[in-house]
Amino acid sequence: MKRVMFTLMAYVLAMGVAFAGDYKIPLIGSKAPKFTANTTNGKMTFPNDFGNNWKILFSHPADFTPVCTSELLELAHLQPTFEKLGVKVAVISTDNLELHKMWKAHMEELDYKNRGPITIDFPIIEDVNGKSSQLYGMLHEPVSTDRDIRGVFIIDDKNIVRSVNFYPVEVGRNMSEYVRMVEAFKMVENEQVFTPANWEDGDDVIVPHFPYTKEELAVQPELKDQYYNVGDRMWFKRIDGNTVQK
């Protein structure tokens, strides 16, 4: 009987591991998975309820933990910036809704970095059974099967995944980087250019082709002043100040 029970337990465990492994991380260019859940802002369907805005979905390991608290306070501080960029933010973990609500109330009383108390407008999503997190590959089995790691998905206005990032539990994320990423996406799409390493809004950008022909230059000599090259494979377009449409 013991052998039968041991075999059954081993089978259940193996099936659980296989089940966890069946969920794939959505890749860049794929449709963002849809789920409906309870949140601190009421019941919602992500990403559909955010309409034609850009969206960023953040996962975190646990409520009331210090690193996660610092991250959400930084997100709250950046709310006006994301709003100007047309970005809606949502946060998810496997904690329950009541704990989310208590944590939110606690954070809204804190004076972080001498900024004063701040209101958290974005929803914190309940995912007790981990199903929504699994859709986004946020449960990394070598670390935990019931707690999210720190995941970030940037999703565009057509609900297409544009960026995927994962971080370990011990290391807090740089929230300003996601502002920079959306600004870069908007620059790339609006101007049909690329952004170089460490690009910030207002920096020069890379053009993916030779910027003008001899004939175009003969008609518009000023074109030569708008571009410059570094070596024979890197052509840049000069940018004068912040240009990203917010």
Side-chain angles (χ1 to χ4, degrees), residues 109-124:
E109 294 177 350
L110 298 178
D111 182 8
Y112 185 60
K113 294 186 176 179
N114 297 317
R115 294 168 177 164
I118 191 167
T119 300
I120 295 174
D121 296 323
F122 51 79
I124 306 175

Side-chain angles (χ1 to χ4, degrees), residues 207-226:
V207 290
H209 50 74
F210 196 82
Y212 48 76
T213 65
K214 291 181 179 179
E215 292 75 16
E216 289 172 331
L217 189 61
V219 177
Q220 294 180 279
E222 66 274 11
L223 282 176
K224 192 171 184 179
D225 299 328
Q226 296 177 21

Side-chain angles (χ1 to χ4, degrees), residues 162 184-195 205-209 227 237:
R162 302 295 296 273
F185 281 129
K186 288 179 177 284
M187 169 61 76
V188 165
E189 291 189 353
N190 293 338
E191 302 295 330
Q192 299 298 300
V193 294
F194 298 157
T195 57
V205 294
I206 293 175
V207 290
H209 50 74
Y227 301 92
K237 181 178 181 180

